[in-house]
Amino acid sequence: MSSIITVISFSFCLFFSENWSSTLSKIPSDNSFVFLVAQNANVIKLVCAASDVLVAKGLDCGKVIKECANILGGNGGGRKNFAEGSGKDDTKMQDALNKAKEIIEKI
């Protein structure tokens, strides 16, 4: 791949609101990919968003979230450009981040 894709990830306590959906669904039309991980009490939330360019190259955020949430013992899904999920196994957070990175590096 000639372009650089930056995987952005956060791992901290965070309050998720409906504003995430509207904000992250407006990713610029370049090689942008956002993958957020946040733990709040006993729940680990995942959010993934991708630009139309990456979606056209075959990236599907719904599948990314489904695979990563599965690692955490949870579930999730969504659209090709935006998806959400959750899980409970906080010992696997780094594994979930690594899986997201592995998927995006194949695009």
Side-chain angles (χ1 to χ4, degrees):
M1 175 188 313
S2 60
S3 301
I4 295 174
I5 299 173
T6 302
V7 177
I8 303 169
S9 63
F10 298 98
S11 180
F12 56 91
C13 290
L14 178 65
F15 176 75
F16 275 75
S17 71
E18 294 301 315
N19 292 337
W20 282 96
S21 298
S22 62
T23 303
L24 291 178
S25 65
K26 297 174 184 166
I27 296 294
S29 61
D30 58 4
N31 284 341
S32 299
F33 176 75
V34 179
F35 185 80
L36 303 175
V37 177
Q39 185 173 9
N40 188 358
N42 294 331
V43 177
I44 301 160
K45 292 281 213 164
L46 306 172
V47 178
C48 178
S51 66
D52 292 338
V53 171
L54 291 179
V55 170
K57 290 180 179 180
L59 183 65
D60 185 333
C61 287
K63 290 180 182 178
V64 172
I65 287 292
K66 189 163 196 71
E67 285 191 48
C68 294
N70 231 358
I71 291 169
L72 299 172
N75 203 352
R79 301 183 311 268
K80 290 184 178 192
N81 68 333
F82 181 83
E84 298 176 274
S86 64
K88 294 189 178 208
D89 188 351
D90 61 355
T91 66
K92 302 282 187 176
M93 286 173 62
Q94 189 60 51
D95 293 340
L97 288 169
N98 291 342
K99 178 53 111 175
K101 186 175 180 183
E102 175 188 317
I103 293 169
I104 193 65
E105 286 176 345
K106 291 179 182 177
I107 302 297

